[in-house]
Amino acid sequence: MIVTGITELSKSRSRIEIDYAFAFVLYKGELRIYKIVEGCELSEETYYEITHKILPKRAKLRAMNLLKQRSYTEYTLSEKLRQGGYPEQVIQEAIEYVKQFHYIDDRQYALDYIEYNREKKSRNRIMQELHRKGIDDLLLQETWDEIVGNETKELEKEQMLYWIKKRQFDAETADFKEKQKMMAFLYRKGFKVEDIRSVLLLDITSI
């Protein structure tokens, strides 16, 4: 294995390429300890120590520190570690480590997210946001059903009425342009067109 590239990422960290492929990120002090310079040969023993001892320990500590600050899904935590320059096998080892202590739990994350946001966000908006966080469709449906069940229609009606009231919109006095503007606003919030039309026909003056 030949070190074919060393790129400085910061004053303390460098990106290492081995045989023209990204390998890992190390602190500059570690470059000195392992005598890593561009063009040098990296022994199997040194590579093993870095990838199976140094980096896994560091990735686990990084994952734990991140989780102290906020909750993550498996996907978003993996992405955060990936941004730190950890190799894929090291990332997976760190993920499995925190999962065994239940520090990440995609199901609980989805349940908590739905419970916290269901009063103001549409089902579509919540599903989109959780999907971007790596929650799969089956788990999304299961957790939504567990929290909301068959009350989705009524809940979304209440949500739309909340936004209508907040924007001081009056369906009885609004002209066509104002109604179109309100429909566009609710549509961007993730509500379905047919549901928006139904709600805008309601008498909301007493709400």
Side-chain angles (χ1 to χ4, degrees):
M1 292 181 288
I2 304 298
V3 177
T4 51
I6 299 178
T7 304
E8 186 177 276
L9 297 177
S10 67
K11 292 182 178 180
S12 60
R13 300 165 71 243
S14 294
R15 182 181 188 274
I16 313 302
E17 288 185 5
I18 295 176
D19 297 331
Y20 300 101
F22 168 70
F24 38 68
V25 172
L26 292 176
Y27 287 105
K28 291 185 178 179
E30 292 165 339
L31 299 182
R32 292 191 294 272
I33 291 171
Y34 294 109
K35 298 181 173 58
I36 297 175
V37 295
E38 194 165 343
C40 78
E41 183 173 355
L42 194 69
S43 69
E44 293 285 349
E45 292 78 10
T46 298
Y47 181 82
Y48 184 89
E49 182 172 351
I50 292 170
T51 58
H52 288 74
K53 296 181 180 179
I54 302 297
L55 295 180
K57 181 179 179 180
R58 183 173 299 156
K60 291 171 187 176
L61 289 173
R62 175 62 174 157
M64 294 289 282
N65 286 331
L66 287 168
L67 289 165
K68 286 179 182 178
Q69 300 170 29
R70 48 162 285 196
S71 296
Y72 285 84
T73 62
E74 182 174 336
Y75 172 79
T76 54
L77 184 59
S78 296
E79 282 296 293
K80 197 72 175 177
L81 293 174
R82 198 166 286 117
Q83 291 169 14
Y86 292 99
E88 289 301 317
Q89 74 273 13
V90 171
I91 292 172
Q92 191 56 43
E93 186 174 340
I95 293 296
E96 293 303 319
Y97 176 79
V98 295
K99 280 176 69 175
Q100 70 178 323
F101 299 108
H102 303 288
Y103 292 145
I104 55 172
D105 183 333
D106 283 2
R107 178 180 178 79
Q108 190 59 51
Y109 186 100
L111 288 170
D112 292 343
Y113 194 91
I114 293 168
E115 182 64 45
Y116 182 78
N117 290 286
R118 70 190 185 108
E119 296 299 329
K120 296 180 181 179
K121 292 187 178 183
S122 68
R123 178 186 182 278
N124 285 344
R125 176 62 61 83
I126 290 173
M127 293 297 189
Q128 289 169 5
E129 291 175 353
L130 284 173
H131 195 270
R132 285 196 294 269
K133 294 176 183 293
I135 307 294
D136 68 68
D137 293 338
L138 179 59
L139 182 54
L140 284 175
Q141 189 59 56
E142 288 177 355
T143 51
W144 179 267
D145 289 344
E146 185 171 336
I147 295 292
V148 182
N150 296 322
E151 299 176 2
T152 299
K153 284 284 186 182
E154 188 61 31
L155 176 62
E156 292 203 332
K157 173 183 171 181
E158 292 175 2
Q159 291 170 341
M160 283 187 279
L161 291 175
Y162 165 83
W163 287 112
I164 288 169
K165 180 180 179 181
K166 187 176 178 67
R167 292 175 70 88
Q168 299 180 332
F169 176 85
D170 188 336
E172 289 189 346
T173 60
D175 60 23
F176 179 77
K177 185 176 181 180
E178 290 170 333
K179 287 183 178 180
Q180 288 292 97
K181 187 176 180 180
M182 191 68 212
M183 284 187 66
F185 171 80
L186 292 173
Y187 182 76
R188 289 194 299 272
K189 289 289 183 183
F191 299 106
K192 295 179 181 178
V193 172
E194 59 269 27
D195 294 333
I196 296 171
R197 286 175 175 165
S198 175
V199 169
L200 290 182
L201 291 176
L202 295 176
D203 178 6
I204 63 169
T205 57
S206 61
I207 298 172

